[in-house]
Amino acid sequence: LPGLVRLTLPAHAPLPAAGARIAADARLRAVRPVDNPGVRDFRQTLLLRGVVATARARDGPEVLSARAPAWRDALRDRYRQWAAAEGDSASGLLQAVALGDGGALTRSRRDLWREAGLAHLLAISGLHVGTLAAAAFGLLSWLLALWPAIPRRWPVQRFAALGGMAAAWSYVYVAGAPTSAVRAGWMISVVLLS
């Protein structure tokens, strides 16, 4: 195909590593935009991203070849394994809150969060990035102030602000850099730089 394919896997199927070549039993459906003016069209968004077909796999994919995962993918996979060890009830929630992986939650659980008005907590945004940046800033300020010679010679708050920014951007990168997290990273950077 002259483009990308969006493949949906069954919930029980393990996710292949990023960059792996896979084979899956699935029927391809061409992506065609809807011609209704004024209607938000997800298919048009797919086409703009280069996705020309969608498919749903019946079973888990067969991995034909895999490349060594990048450190980010390896870290995300390790976190997913840790979350899975916590049990089915907590696994999806831990992945959704920390990695922004809403697909880890079942549809019924996502609906419960939506009905409670708390679905925004599952998306990586300012709350998550800001909490991490504030924790890193506070911890670094405290650690640097433990040695009396450091605050006398260097501005501890400035170093802590740089550390908070580094922690925020590292988290944005590990979380997959969704738009809301990137926006939060920029806003936190502006605050910490000021």
Side-chain angles (χ1 to χ4, degrees), residues 19-190:
R21 291 186 62 226
I22 62 170
D25 184 18
R27 180 174 295 196
L28 295 175
R29 291 183 180 88
V31 176
R32 292 189 179 87
V34 176
D35 291 332
N36 294 339
V39 174
R40 184 172 182 267
D41 186 11
F42 180 67
R43 290 176 281 189
Q44 183 67 35
T45 303
L46 289 176
L47 289 170
L48 290 172
R49 293 179 182 167
V51 177
V52 297
T54 61
R56 180 176 299 275
R58 293 181 180 90
D59 295 316
E62 174 188 352
V63 177
L64 301 176
S65 66
R67 66 171 174 83
W71 71 268
R72 178 180 79 169
D73 298 326
L75 184 63
R76 288 173 66 94
D77 289 342
R78 188 172 293 161
Y79 182 83
R80 282 190 183 105
Q81 291 170 359
W82 173 82
E86 295 299 312
D88 289 340
S89 61
S91 175
L93 181 61
L94 289 170
Q95 291 181 57
V97 170
L99 302 177
D101 187 4
L105 284 174
T106 62
R107 182 177 296 267
S108 60
R109 289 194 183 214
R110 274 192 309 243
D111 290 343
L112 288 173
W113 280 82
R114 193 173 301 114
E115 289 170 13
L118 299 172
H120 62 280
L121 294 176
L122 302 177
I124 302 298
S125 62
L127 174 69
H128 301 80
V129 180
T131 300
L132 182 70
F137 177 82
L139 182 64
L140 284 171
S141 294
W142 178 73
L143 286 174
L144 291 172
L146 285 177
W147 292 277
I150 293 176
R152 277 188 249 133
R153 293 183 185 190
W154 293 292
V156 169
Q157 300 292 320
R158 290 183 184 173
F159 287 121
L162 291 175
M165 282 176 34
W169 282 108
S170 296
Y171 180 59
V172 168
Y173 178 71
V174 169
T179 304
S180 57
V182 172
R183 182 176 54 238
W186 282 112
M187 295 308 295
I188 289 164
S189 296
V190 168

